């Protein structure tokens, strides 16, 4: 019969965890990943589900459009570097109830535990991204990206400022995230408040920066979501290096707004005009 680990979606999930660890984004038990499963994936994996599912666990959030859905999720307190070694102990498949406000574990976390502490935040943002993308987005990924975290300590916590800085760090960045990136001020992780604040940003953006904490992204598949995370973090790295190399001052030369518009036209993407037209009082932030 084989094992659940032979199912492509499980392999892809494990591979993405490994890729994030390889980038240095997941120290200890940092970061988390969830995936909203397709019906055919659930049907394949169901043969491996527990004979007796776990107890229903009530969440502090609710979503009508996620009733009856199944999610693959990393575990709370689990190290992403161990996912490929022992997936059955570090990840889980959870089922959402008919009220859209509770989950139960149907597979995984065999040595005990529960889904990531930020599952309510993921859950609510899955609801938003499912709605605004007509069901296309299925992946939510959070990582402790060091250069994004560094920039939140020196830039104004505004979507317009961060997006413009990141777009202008390297030529093709605006093609990967033409809508921009949202910014959430520092909040205690894992609760309803940060879930709601992130939802407000994910209504408009594919990605949201968490001040002093990292990056939160969505995508239709693992490759797209990981690529978005990787591109934004690399842009932040370049921006950090450029600022440091010039003594914290504005770079001597930079991609102009007209350059950005030309890139968008050439690649057939529509850049967020609100961000392009944003005027900041401090010229440092371009």
């Amino acid at each position: 019969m084989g094992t659940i680990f032979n199912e492509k979606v499980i392999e892809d999930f494990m591979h993405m965890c490994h890729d994030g660890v390889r980038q240095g984004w997941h120290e200890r038990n940092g970061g988390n990943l969830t995936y909203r499963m397709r019906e055919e994936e659930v049907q394949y994996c169901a043969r491996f589900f527990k004979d007796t599912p776990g107890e229903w666990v009530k969440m502090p959030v609710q979503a009508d459009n996620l009733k009856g859905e199944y999610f693959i999720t990393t575990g709370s307190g689990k190290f992403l570097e161990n996912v490929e070694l022992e997936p059955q102990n570090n990840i889980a498949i959870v089922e959402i109830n008919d009220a859209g406000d509770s989950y139960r574990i149907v597979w995984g976390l065999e040595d005990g535990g529960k889904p990531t502490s930020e599952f309510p935040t993921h859950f609510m943002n899955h609801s938003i991204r499912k709605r605004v993308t007509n069901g296309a987005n299925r992946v939510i990924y959070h990582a402790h990206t060091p250069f994004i975290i560094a920039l939140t300590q020196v830039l104004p916590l505004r979507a317009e400022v961060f997006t413009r800085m990141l777009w202008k760090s390297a030529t093709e960045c605006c093609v990967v995230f033409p809508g921009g990136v949202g910014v959430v001020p520092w909040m205690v992780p894992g609760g309803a408040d940060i879930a709601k604040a992130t939802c407000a940003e994910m209504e408009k953006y594919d990605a949201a920066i968490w001040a002093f904490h990292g990056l939160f992204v969505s995508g239709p598949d693992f490759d797209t979501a990981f690529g978005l995370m990787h591109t934004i973090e690399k842009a932040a790295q370049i921006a950090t290096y450029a600022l440091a190399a010039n003594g914290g001052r504005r770079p001597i030369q930079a991609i102009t707004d007209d350059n950005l518009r030309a890139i968008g036209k050439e690649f057939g993407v529509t850049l967020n005009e609100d961000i392009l037209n944003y005027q900041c009082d401090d010229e440092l932030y371009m």
Side-chain angles (χ1 to χ4, degrees):
M1 183 184 297
T3 70
I4 196 171
F5 314 132
N6 294 333
E7 169 62 358
K8 186 177 188 302
V9 68
I10 300 292
E11 290 184 341
D12 289 346
F13 189 98
M14 294 190 296
H15 183 68
M16 185 161 169
C17 290
H18 174 74
D19 279 352
V21 170
R22 187 163 52 87
Q23 293 296 328
W25 299 340
H26 298 291
E27 75 292 338
R28 201 172 178 272
N29 62 315
N32 28 73
L33 173 65
T34 57
Y35 172 79
R36 182 171 59 84
M37 300 177 73
R38 299 179 184 276
E39 183 177 347
E40 62 270 23
E41 293 164 343
V42 175
Q43 290 175 352
Y44 175 88
C45 293
R47 73 189 75 179
F48 305 105
F49 286 177
K50 300 173 185 289
D51 292 335
T52 303
E55 297 292 325
W56 289 108
V57 177
K58 185 75 176 290
M59 296 182 288
V61 293
Q62 188 274 340
D64 286 337
N65 67 342
L66 296 180
K67 294 176 179 179
E69 294 270 19
Y70 287 78
F71 292 88
I72 309 172
T73 174
T74 48
S76 178
K78 303 296 185 179
F79 293 20
L80 266 67
E81 64 181 300
N82 292 333
V83 168
E84 282 198 321
L85 298 175
E86 294 185 328
Q88 72 276 9
N89 292 327
N90 291 283
I91 64 176
I93 296 175
V94 301
E95 176 187 7
I96 305 303
N97 69 350
D98 291 338
D101 64 1
S102 300
Y103 70 82
R104 65 178 178 180
I105 297 173
V106 297
W107 176 86
L109 292 175
E110 293 178 5
D111 64 353
K114 57 185 180 180
T116 170
S117 62
E118 287 167 347
F119 189 77
T121 300
H122 281 241
F123 181 77
M124 286 306 297
N125 282 276
H126 273 291
S127 175
I128 295 295
R129 298 307 298 173
K130 181 180 180 181
R131 174 169 54 78
V132 301
T133 66
N134 294 317
N137 272 194
R138 292 183 174 272
V139 179
I140 296 282
Y141 180 38
H142 164 54
H144 295 173
T145 43
F147 288 95
I148 280 291
I149 294 171
L151 283 183
T152 64
Q153 299 176 41
V154 297
L155 295 184
L157 298 177
R158 291 189 58 92
E160 297 88 351
V161 171
F162 267 86
T163 299
R164 290 173 64 82
M165 179 70 76
L166 297 170
W167 276 355
K168 294 186 176 202
S169 69
T171 297
E172 295 185 9
C173 288
C174 65
V175 178
V176 177
F177 49 102
V181 296
V183 179
V184 176
W186 184 87
M187 304 181 78
V188 174
D193 289 342
I194 193 169
K196 293 174 183 176
T198 309
C199 282
E201 299 304 310
M202 299 298 272
E203 285 271 2
K204 302 175 287 185
Y205 307 108
D206 295 329
I209 292 165
W210 284 354
F212 318 122
H213 189 162
L215 190 56
F216 191 88
V217 306
S218 68
D221 53 59
F222 295 108
D223 284 347
T224 304
F226 188 87
L228 177 59
M229 177 83 72
H230 199 185
T231 303
I232 293 173
E233 171 63 1
K234 187 172 184 179
Q237 181 178 8
I238 295 167
T240 301
Y241 285 165
L243 288 170
N246 203 36
R249 298 183 298 275
R250 178 176 179 165
I252 296 171
Q253 54 267 329
I255 297 171
T256 68
D257 290 1
D258 286 342
N259 292 156
L260 290 173
R261 290 186 174 92
I263 295 167
K265 182 178 180 181
E266 179 67 23
F267 283 84
V269 298
T270 302
L271 303 188
N272 187 330
E273 281 293 329
D274 289 340
I275 290 173
L276 278 174
N277 295 328
Y278 178 73
Q279 298 295 317
C280 183
D281 293 336
D282 191 330
E283 66 174 12
L284 169 63
Y285 305 119
M286 300 186 284

